[in-house]
Amino acid sequence: MSTRYPFTAVVGMDDLRLALLLNAVSPAVGGVLVRGEKGTAKSTAVRALAELLPQVAVVAGCRFSCDPASPDPGCPDGPHGDGGADARPARMVELPVGASEDRLVGSLDIEKALADGVKAFEPGLLAAAHRGILYVDEVNLLSDHLIDHLLDAAAMGASHVEREGVSVRHAARFLLVGTMNPEEGELRPQLLDRFGLTVEVAASRVPEERVEVVRRRLAFEDDPAGFAGRWAGEEAALRERIVAARELLPKVALGDAVLLQIAATCAAFEVDGMRADIVMARTATALAAWAGREEVTSEDVRRAALLALPHRRRRNPFDAPGMDEDKLDETLERFKGDEPEDDPDPGPDGPGDGGPGGGGVPPQGGEGPVPETDGVPEQAPAQAPEHAPEPEHAPRGAAGERAAVKAGEPFRTKTLSVPGLGEGAAGRRSRARTQNGRTTGATRPQGTLTKLHLSATVRAAAPHQRARGRAGAGLVVRRDDLRQAVREGREGNLVLFVVDASGSMAARRRMGAVKGAVLSLLLDAYQRRDKVGLVTFRGRAAELALPPTSSVDAAAARLEELPTGGRTPLSAGLLKARDVLRVERLRDPSRRPLLVVVTDGRATGGGPDPVGLAARAARLHAADGTASVVVDCEAGPVRLGLAGGLARDLGGTAVTLDELRADAIAGLVREAQVNRSVRRAA
């Protein structure tokens, strides 16, 4: 077994260490989400926590870690009786991003279940994590169907496995810890709310701290066992403090005045639901126990709010999580009642910088995980009027380049999808063959059977019953009879935006509206679990402003900074997009692309025949079979229809900015229905 880096050797990252320790004291807090850039030791700190947890008493031989004091009456390995008890270390189970559904929840032996009526169940990761830690690295990249199972288990404290009428249930209560890099995309709001606390980590900018990080890391890699031994005393002391805090926790009093502060804080910051209030109360209680007190103070409430509320205040994926600390202090002061004096030491490590876990200089040189910078996106820009007059002295750069304008207000867009049936990553945009969804047929299983098509299996076995010597009522089923269900659901696509940032767009004061439309499509891509990329063209060339990524926030930030001006090299933009799609097809062949070209259709640069070059570039996309949509940004009383011609060359469709709005589409449908009814009545 490999030696883990000691928790107490971690340098800095006080908020992260405190959040993890509070969950070790009170697992009811609900886990931790750690957000930060790559290379900041998020995973190192989380894995080190498992070594500090007290041992767990389990029923001897139980695969589901039942507590001998109160075994689960519905345990698949039960009833337990007097089977004895064992003590083992608390587990930290890692859920890989690419795990299958059966690996997470467990699987049934379908052949035995059908032929013998036996529930032969193989436990999954949820069972292994019961009464321990379930750790998900890069949790924001987890597939939707796995997230659904995590949400169910976290809400119910149990996992249910259903296979064609055969059902197994087992307890699954665990401490959920996730790490993520916000640059790679955000979490679904439902899963985000399931994490009790959230912490932003960033790499230290203090040279001395960075030196200490490198020194400890190198020392650990040279001699892991020796390095861990030098920190054994600090680890033992911290472990004892966790046990003492756990014993004190039931005695901590949560007064009415403190509860009022918690409720007032959640109301002041307009968080959704009541989970925030409950998590804050549990966190404040754990903070008091960690500090050795039996009463909760205002300072406990304040620290609990800073850990429990920032991620619950997001209203859309472009909002940055965070807290207005002045507003927090004002709210706490306004609702402050009689309470004990605040403890001067609410931190994770006791007084001073050299206590357990304090990240001070170790007995001998060593290293700790690197802290992390925050990849939090900027907030979505405010609306800019579509036809607002441009300031007379608007800032311009070289070649008439204008400074970036703000995007208009986002809106709900018309659904754009790739035609046909794909087999890409699970999402919500285009039709695809998936592991989850409605059943559309049956086939012979390739490898392990995961979704049984019961009626097809029975039909395959029925003609052979006499030859197999069937004598009783049971159906004689063999492996060759089993049929896999073919299911159809939705996939996520690669949505590549090609945005015209030339002078013709800016001259008509349309760039604000155009950016608002692209921002709306980005929001739609976030909700449908797509990857996105951004190509812009202006002046003499095109630029890949954002390589394909799962981070819609990054695309929104690049869009906001986009300047305009110059000629319109439409062909260059289309050719750059084709190069990007060619590379992405090699990287991920199953993810189908959707090309969204945002332009008025003019072509005034890129060669001696810009219009002809643009048409030829568009036809290359059509020959590749790329699904495409042209968002026509042309405005004014006289329209040339150039975007429509571009759409025909691409083999796609064209929509105007007005038609892109979902409410506009719905209005057109309602109007058509009314007109039809009037005609029928006449």
Side-chain angles (χ1 to χ4, degrees):
M1 180 176 172
S2 61
T3 302
R4 285 180 175 166
Y5 191 90
F7 187 87
T8 49
V10 173
V11 176
M13 297 197 295
D14 292 342
D15 286 343
L16 172 58
R17 290 184 291 113
L18 176 62
L20 292 172
L21 290 170
L22 291 178
N23 275 275
V25 171
S26 175
V29 166
V32 186
L33 174 64
V34 188
R35 296 164 50 95
E37 66 185 8
K38 55 188 176 293
T40 46
K42 302 184 293 292
S43 301
T44 301
V46 173
R47 292 188 176 100
L49 176 69
E51 301 295 323
L52 299 175
L53 298 181
Q55 287 199 324
V56 178
V58 298
V59 173
C62 178
R63 297 175 298 165
F64 300 88
S65 303
C66 281
D67 187 348
S70 57
D72 181 7
C75 177
D77 283 357
H80 293 296
D82 298 326
D86 292 331
R88 62 161 176 77
R91 291 175 180 156
M92 191 188 76
V93 177
E94 296 195 37
L95 172 59
V97 170
S100 66
E101 179 181 336
D102 286 345
R103 183 73 184 100
L104 176 63
V105 303
S107 59
L108 292 171
D109 189 328
I110 302 298
E111 188 174 1
K112 286 187 177 180
L114 278 176
D116 304 329
V118 177
K119 294 181 180 179
F121 181 69
E122 183 66 28
L125 296 177
L126 291 179
H130 180 48
R131 302 178 67 202
I133 300 173
L134 181 63
Y135 172 50
V136 189
D137 193 14
E138 306 294 351
V139 62
N140 50 325
L141 304 182
L142 203 62
S143 299
D144 276 0
H145 68 284
L146 298 183
I147 288 178
D148 292 338
H149 287 296
L150 274 183
L151 291 175
D152 289 343
M156 306 298 294
S159 175
H160 297 263
V161 184
E162 304 284 346
R163 290 292 187 275
E164 303 293 346
V166 182
S167 175
V168 173
R169 173 212 166 273
H170 63 83
R173 292 183 295 276
F174 46 81
L175 173 61
L176 181 61
V177 180
T179 55
M180 60 174 284
N181 182 350
E183 294 178 354
E184 296 173 339
E186 284 292 345
L187 277 177
R188 281 171 55 181
Q190 296 94 329
L191 183 57
L192 192 64
D193 190 49
R194 285 293 173 189
F195 287 97
L197 311 178
T198 187
V199 178
E200 302 281 343
V201 287
S204 173
R205 299 296 184 250
V206 179
E208 291 78 9
E209 262 192 21
R210 296 176 75 99
V211 167
E212 189 61 31
V213 167
V214 175
R215 181 180 292 122
R216 294 189 193 184
R217 184 76 244 179
L218 294 177
F220 175 73
E221 291 175 354
D222 288 342
D223 182 11
F227 182 82
R230 293 194 291 272
W231 290 90
E234 286 80 358
E235 292 280 292
L238 191 57
R239 193 177 295 112
E240 290 173 3
R241 185 175 176 184
I242 292 173
V243 173
R246 281 190 172 190
E247 294 173 351
L248 181 61
L249 188 66
K251 304 175 185 177
V252 175
L254 190 67
D256 289 342
V258 170
L259 281 173
L260 181 60
Q261 282 187 315
I262 291 172
T265 301
C266 293
F269 285 94
E270 301 179 347
V271 296
D272 295 332
M274 294 298 297
R275 184 172 285 116
D277 304 63
I278 297 170
V279 171
M280 273 190 64
R282 289 171 174 166
T283 305
T285 303
L287 278 162
W290 181 249
R293 289 183 273 102
E294 294 187 3
E295 290 188 82
V296 178
T297 68
S298 288
E299 181 59 26
D300 295 330
V301 175
R302 186 181 191 279
R303 297 201 73 172
L306 292 174
L307 292 171
L309 296 189
H311 62 300
R312 292 185 165 91
R313 297 192 59 243
R314 290 173 64 93
R315 288 295 180 264
N316 66 62
F318 308 130
D319 290 339
M323 292 281 289
D324 183 342
E325 295 194 31
D326 291 337
K327 180 179 179 180
L328 174 61
D329 292 336
E330 180 184 335
T331 303
L332 293 175
E333 184 64 33
R334 183 147 45 102
F335 290 91
K336 187 174 183 179
D338 296 333
E339 61 171 33
E341 184 178 348
D342 289 353
D343 191 286
D345 173 34
D349 308 316
D353 295 330
V361 178
Q364 298 179 26
E367 184 275 332
V370 192
E372 346 202 344
T373 67
D374 180 17
V376 174
E378 298 182 4
Q379 187 170 347
Q383 180 177 4
E386 183 175 350
H387 299 291
E390 184 180 358
E392 191 172 331
H393 301 291
R396 296 170 182 260
E401 179 183 290
R402 295 171 174 81
V405 298
K406 290 189 175 182
E409 189 71 20
F411 51 82
R412 191 166 63 91
T413 66
K414 173 185 176 181
T415 301
L416 307 176
S417 62
V418 178
L421 193 63
E423 295 181 346
R428 297 189 183 90
R429 183 172 296 279
S430 305
R431 294 174 55 220
R433 295 185 184 91
T434 60
Q435 291 295 318
N436 298 277
R438 63 185 182 91
T439 301
T440 59
T443 185
R444 290 182 180 273
Q446 302 294 323
T448 304
L449 178 69
T450 56
K451 299 288 185 181
L452 178 73
H453 195 294
L454 183 57
S455 60
T457 299
V458 171
R459 287 196 301 271
H464 308 291
Q465 296 306 294
R466 186 185 299 269
R468 293 173 183 174
R470 172 180 166 183
L475 188 68
V476 181
V477 179
R478 294 180 179 172
R479 183 171 297 277
D480 289 343
D481 301 328
L482 300 179
R483 295 294 181 268
Q484 173 85 20
V486 176
R487 302 199 172 200
E488 182 178 314
R490 294 279 167 176
E491 67 176 0
N493 298 113
L494 165 59
V495 182
L496 182 62
F497 294 92
V498 181
V499 180
D500 184 349
S502 64
S504 66
M505 301 287 284
R508 297 179 182 275
R509 305 348 183 229
R510 283 178 278 135
M511 205 56 198
V514 169
K515 284 188 176 183
V518 178
L519 197 66
S520 305
L521 290 167
L522 285 172
L523 181 58
D524 182 67
Y526 164 78
Q527 294 167 341
R528 299 183 187 278
R529 314 300 288 175
D530 295 318
K531 288 181 70 174
V532 296
L534 178 63
V535 171
T536 63
F537 59 94
R538 61 188 176 88
R540 296 183 178 179
E543 174 190 6
L544 179 58
L546 181 71
T549 175
S550 296
S551 176
V552 173
D553 301 16
R558 299 291 173 88
L559 180 70
E560 183 181 1
E561 300 164 358
L562 179 65
T564 60
R567 302 179 71 83
T568 313
L570 177 56
S571 60
L574 295 174
L575 292 174
K576 172 64 75 173
R578 188 167 182 256
D579 288 341
V580 172
L581 294 180
R582 178 180 54 81
V583 173
E584 288 302 309
R585 284 191 183 97
L586 296 174
R587 289 177 176 169
D588 189 357
S590 63
R591 188 180 288 269
R592 297 187 294 164
L594 175 63
L595 184 68
V596 179
V597 185
V598 185
T599 181
D600 56 10
R602 288 177 170 82
T604 59
D609 181 14
V611 175
L613 288 173
R616 286 195 288 275
R619 287 193 285 271
L620 290 175
H621 282 282
D624 293 338
T626 303
S628 58
V629 176
V630 177
V631 179
D632 185 358
C633 303
E634 192 172 22
V638 179
R639 295 175 181 256
L640 302 177
L642 299 175
L646 176 63
R648 288 190 293 274
D649 289 328
L650 285 167
T653 59
V655 295
T656 66
L657 286 176
D658 290 335
E659 291 171 346
L660 190 61
R661 293 178 177 269
D663 51 3
I665 297 295
L668 292 173
V669 172
R670 286 193 296 270
E671 183 180 347
Q673 290 172 339
V674 169
N675 293 338
R676 191 181 302 115
S677 299
V678 170
R679 287 196 299 270
R680 287 176 178 173

